Amino acid sequence: MTSTSVFSALAPYGWDSAWADAFTPHDAEGLLPGRVLRVDRGQCDVVTADGVVRADTAFVTPHDPMRVVCTGDWVAVEPAGSPRYVRTYLPRRTAFVRSTSSKRSEGQILAANVDHAIVAVSLAVELDLGRIERFLALAWESGAQPVVVLTKADLVPDAVTLSHLVQDVETTAPGVPVLPVSAVDGDGLEVLVAVVSGGTAVLLGQSGAGKSTLANALLGEDVMEVQAARDVDGKGRHTTTTRNLLALPGGGVLIDTPGLRGVGLWDAETGVGQVFSEIEELAGRCRFQDCAHESEPGCAVLAAIDSGELPVRRLESYRKLMRENQWIVAKTDARLRAEIKKDWKRKGAEGRAAMEAKRGGRGR
């Protein structure tokens, strides 16, 4: 098969000249390029110029969860064989990673080579702004452009109320498009289609957020199974159980993911800073370079809180995510862990000294 035919066959899945150049050494070995559509139990479905093939991933490092083959990877596959093996994957342009729920402090890669991270948020329940910030931190850290999609917009028929909800999320997501969308009547879909048509998009969100319904609307057919969410909390069962990559009819590629109950950060300090860019900007004006924004004189962040420019909730959420991220990183970095313990001891000593000074003052 010629390089031209390979290009035309894989272009709908995101193949371009840069990927072709990166694959050149593997082409010389007689391997086939392909993109991973789904992975399960050490096997994966790979779309190649010869069609979709089933391949084993045993040759790719299995012990490091960050280096396993995942949905969205471009891989080098054996041209034939039973079983057929994936030999390697091409260097990833972006990677969406979260921390696992295990006690081993490992990262779990959810999807690779993603251009847009679509955070689906249901309007059927009260907005959880903290969870939106958490998803956005991971999205920014991955290298993808986040987009917040407020699903089930048809359940908010009042235009003024819907506008206020959009504004609340826009305040929470600086620099991120916020799109109210109804898969039922199609409102907002054209804008979303235009956003995702130029690359690979991954759908993220909790169970019951309407991801599968949204995926079907973008695909133009009922490909993904849909289940109703519970009325009491808007949550649903995991309709999607694996990450699936699908080519969109209008161009672009969509990766649908299972609902994420836990969204742990994984070395996402840059992403957190991007989500809270207004706090980072204010911090640059603080009198002290290492200002903790707690009680220091000349703190621009606290001044913004006092003036009402910065909501208290935003600062509290920022602190929470930064602490969590620092703790995750410290679990895998002994030096940083020692520094954190040293800092905790210093603050504890300062607190005790302050208490002693107060008691001494009362005794005079």
Side-chain angles (χ1 to χ4, degrees), residues 181-184 186 189 192-193 210-224 226 248-249 254:
V181 171
S182 170
V184 174
L189 272 176
L192 182 58
V193 168
K211 296 189 306 301
S212 295
T213 301
L214 186 60
N216 287 335
L218 291 171
L219 291 162
E221 56 182 319
D222 291 340
V223 175
M224 310 307 296
V226 176
L248 296 172
L254 182 70

Side-chain angles (χ1 to χ4, degrees), residues 17-303:
S17 57
W19 286 123
D21 290 343
F23 193 80
T24 300
H26 310 298
D27 189 32
E29 297 173 7
L31 300 174
L32 300 177
R35 195 166 195 191
V36 178
L37 302 178
R38 67 192 299 267
V39 180
D40 59 277
R41 298 175 184 175
Q43 301 279 316
C44 62
D45 293 335
V46 182
V47 60
T48 71
D50 294 333
V52 177
V53 302
R54 187 75 168 165
D56 195 297
T57 65
F59 272 99
V60 183
T61 308
H63 304 299
D64 183 349
M66 297 287 285
R67 297 179 63 190
V68 298
V69 171
C70 76
T71 303
D73 271 327
W74 284 101
V75 296
V77 188
E78 293 177 341
S82 181
R84 181 179 289 193
Y85 288 96
V86 170
R87 287 292 175 173
T88 188
Y89 60 81
L90 299 185
R92 293 160 176 158
R93 294 178 181 175
T94 62
F96 196 96
V97 182
R98 68 166 176 175
S99 65
T100 64
S101 57
S102 71
K103 296 181 180 179
R104 292 181 294 176
S105 306
E106 294 176 336
Q108 178 190 22
I109 183 164
L110 299 178
N113 304 312
V114 173
D115 301 295
H116 292 94
I118 302 172
V119 180
V121 179
S122 173
L123 289 176
V125 293
E126 185 177 353
L127 290 175
D128 185 342
L129 299 179
R131 181 167 287 273
I132 294 173
E133 289 162 344
R134 182 178 290 272
F135 271 112
L136 291 175
L138 294 177
W140 280 121
E141 191 68 33
S142 75
Q145 166 67 51
V147 179
V148 177
V149 173
L150 302 179
T151 65
K152 308 181 185 182
D154 51 287
L155 298 181
V156 188
D158 181 66
V160 174
T161 302
L162 181 59
S163 176
H164 287 158
L165 291 171
V166 171
Q167 289 175 11
D168 286 345
V169 178
E170 286 177 337
T171 302
T172 300
V176 177
V178 179
L179 309 175
V181 171
S182 170
V184 174
D185 54 30
D187 285 351
L189 272 176
E190 286 186 8
V191 178
L192 182 58
V193 168
V195 169
V196 302
S197 62
T200 298
V202 62
L203 260 177
L204 305 162
Q206 288 183 287
S207 298
K211 296 189 306 301
S212 295
T213 301
L214 186 60
N216 287 335
L218 291 171
L219 291 162
E221 56 182 319
D222 291 340
V223 175
M224 310 307 296
E225 183 185 354
V226 176
Q227 293 178 348
R230 299 187 301 235
D231 291 335
V232 63
D233 56 10
K235 295 180 181 179
R237 289 174 292 175
H238 291 314
T239 304
T240 305
T241 56
T242 58
R243 287 169 278 281
N244 301 280
L245 185 148
L246 304 156
L248 296 172
V253 174
L254 182 70
I255 299 176
D256 191 22
T257 66
L260 300 175
R261 290 192 180 94
V263 195
L265 301 184
W266 177 257
D267 198 2
E269 182 176 354
T270 301
V272 174
Q274 190 80 30
V275 175
F276 298 93
S277 56
E278 80 277 31
I279 296 179
E280 297 269 297
E281 183 180 348
L282 286 166
R285 305 179 206 163
C286 291
R287 181 184 302 174
F288 303 110
Q289 191 173 7
D290 61 348
C291 183
H293 322 306
E294 293 177 351
S295 59
E296 297 87 346
C299 176
V301 174
L302 295 180

